[in-house]
Amino acid sequence: MKLIANNWKDYECIDCGNGEKLERWKNVILRRPDPQVIWPVDTSNSMWRKVDAHYHRSKSGGGHWEFIKKVPEHWTISYKELTFKVSPTGFKHTGLFPEQAANWDYMMDTIRNSGRDDIRVLNLFAYTGGATLACASAGASEVVHVDASKGMVNWAKENMQLSHLTDKKIRFIVEDCVKFVKREARRGRTYHAIIMDPPSYGRGPNGEMWKIEEQLYPLISACLDILDKDALFFLVNSYTTGLGATVLENVLHLTVKKQQGQGQVTCGEIGLPITYTNQVLPCGIYGRWEAK
């Protein structure tokens, strides 16, 4: 099943072509690389000549921003009741992956429609907190936000304040996700929902190595020790090239579905609508188990 994040007002994927995407972040137009865009650009679209900033990738790795117009160091955009700080970073990202709004909608709807007031959520590789804030806003009794980057966790705290969610029970933890899960298991802690958005490669705060092909299955298996018997959902998101949705489907069947003994597994692509062509920009895959 394909999920499309089509409820944005402050964000828009205007057009794509020649390995780049043209985006509107509120009133700022950015042009950024995207390796999925292998089709040519339509040169008749004049919006390509009206960008505020353009990220140029270097042949030797990395890249830099060219600011055609004066762009704020950071600004905010909103999605429904949530507000996020966005900023053009040196590694082309802006601090937010807008396609994840499709997953946020699912999480918020599931929590709100559960009829339960005690829902503990664990968000691993939690970045700047989009899923964390979505779950807290929807009424989760506690959200634990874990990421190895102190800078990203601090950014998530800013987003919590911008979204007026400081009264919610959110625990921010800077730690290697694998170590945290194992420690929670020793403590006997359980969660009703587990979310993870692991990178292809990464390092923990103490140099711990992460490689998704080798460690995703063991991590999901370890999470079974902290997944409550009355769980609501388990959601995995991935941007790793070559990792298909069927891989997530197989893994979730062999782990979460097998343990829980019921529920259903749904997997597929996640994407953004392209305004100019009325097509969809693929933005990775998702896999989820949900109690039914």
Side-chain angles (χ1 to χ4, degrees):
M1 185 172 78
K2 188 181 292 183
L3 289 183
I4 309 299
N6 54 10
N7 291 319
W8 277 100
K9 294 180 180 177
D10 279 0
Y11 171 85
E12 176 186 9
C13 182
I14 300 169
D15 198 6
C16 300
N18 289 348
E20 294 185 307
K21 55 189 174 185
L22 188 66
E23 307 165 290
R24 176 181 62 83
W25 296 81
K26 206 166 191 176
N27 56 358
V28 178
I29 307 298
L30 301 181
R31 181 172 174 175
R32 297 191 292 159
D34 192 307
Q36 299 268 41
V37 183
I38 64 171
W39 54 90
V41 69
D42 184 349
T43 56
S44 67
N45 183 359
S46 62
M47 287 299 297
W48 286 96
R49 296 183 288 278
K50 298 177 181 179
V51 299
D52 297 306
H54 184 186
Y55 189 89
H56 298 276
R57 189 183 295 279
S58 169
K59 293 181 180 178
S60 59
H64 70 278
W65 284 98
E66 174 192 7
F67 293 99
I68 293 92
K69 300 176 184 176
K70 188 173 181 180
V71 173
E73 183 179 345
H74 56 80
W75 64 99
T76 62
I77 68 171
S78 295
Y79 183 77
K80 297 182 177 179
E81 66 264 38
L82 306 175
T83 301
F84 304 98
K85 182 186 86 170
V86 297
S87 177
T89 67
F91 46 97
K92 91 170 180 177
H93 296 305
T94 62
L96 196 68
F97 292 97
E99 67 277 1
Q100 288 305 309
N103 280 328
W104 304 340
D105 284 342
Y106 166 77
M107 297 171 201
M108 290 189 286
D109 290 344
T110 301
I111 291 171
R112 284 174 176 152
N113 295 332
S114 69
R116 296 159 55 175
D117 56 10
D118 183 20
I119 299 173
R120 298 182 300 278
V121 179
L122 174 61
N123 187 12
L124 300 172
F125 309 96
Y127 196 49
T128 59
T132 295
L133 303 185
C135 292
S137 176
S141 58
E142 179 184 13
V143 184
V144 178
H145 174 112
V146 185
D147 197 280
S149 169
K150 184 176 180 180
M152 292 300 105
V153 170
N154 287 337
W155 196 328
K157 291 178 180 178
E158 289 186 70
N159 287 335
M160 175 187 66
Q161 294 169 345
L162 290 168
S163 295
H164 306 290
L165 293 172
T166 54
D167 60 327
K168 303 296 183 180
K169 188 176 181 181
I170 304 174
R171 294 171 55 207
F172 293 98
I173 297 172
V174 180
E175 189 171 356
D176 174 73
C177 290
V178 175
K179 287 185 176 180
F180 178 81
V181 167
K182 292 179 178 178
R183 193 171 72 249
E184 288 291 87
R186 291 193 296 269
R187 291 171 172 169
R189 289 261 297 170
T190 63
Y191 295 89
H192 302 100
I194 297 179
I195 306 154
M196 64 175 70
D197 193 352
S200 300
Y201 302 95
R203 286 186 179 271
N206 296 311
E208 300 91 345
M209 288 296 297
W210 167 269
K211 188 175 181 181
I212 194 168
E213 293 90 344
E214 297 175 359
Q215 293 177 274
L216 181 61
Y217 187 90
L219 176 58
I220 293 176
S221 297
C223 285
L224 299 181
D225 292 332
I226 60 172
L227 185 64
D228 197 88
K229 65 181 186 303
D230 196 22
L232 278 178
F233 64 86
F234 194 114
L235 193 148
V236 183
N237 191 79
S238 174
Y239 296 97
T240 301
T241 303
L243 190 67
T246 303
V247 173
L248 292 185
E249 183 176 14
N250 292 342
V251 169
L252 290 173
H253 270 288
L254 290 168
T255 53
V256 183
K257 175 73 180 295
K258 183 177 180 180
Q259 182 209 54
Q260 294 289 318
Q262 50 86 40
Q264 69 177 29
V265 173
T266 306
C267 299
E269 283 190 317
I270 191 166
L272 288 163
I274 306 171
T275 304
Y276 188 74
T277 61
N278 200 32
Q279 295 174 324
V280 173
L281 174 65
C283 302
I285 59 173
Y286 77 97
R288 70 182 183 227
W289 168 89
E290 53 192 319
K292 285 292 185 181

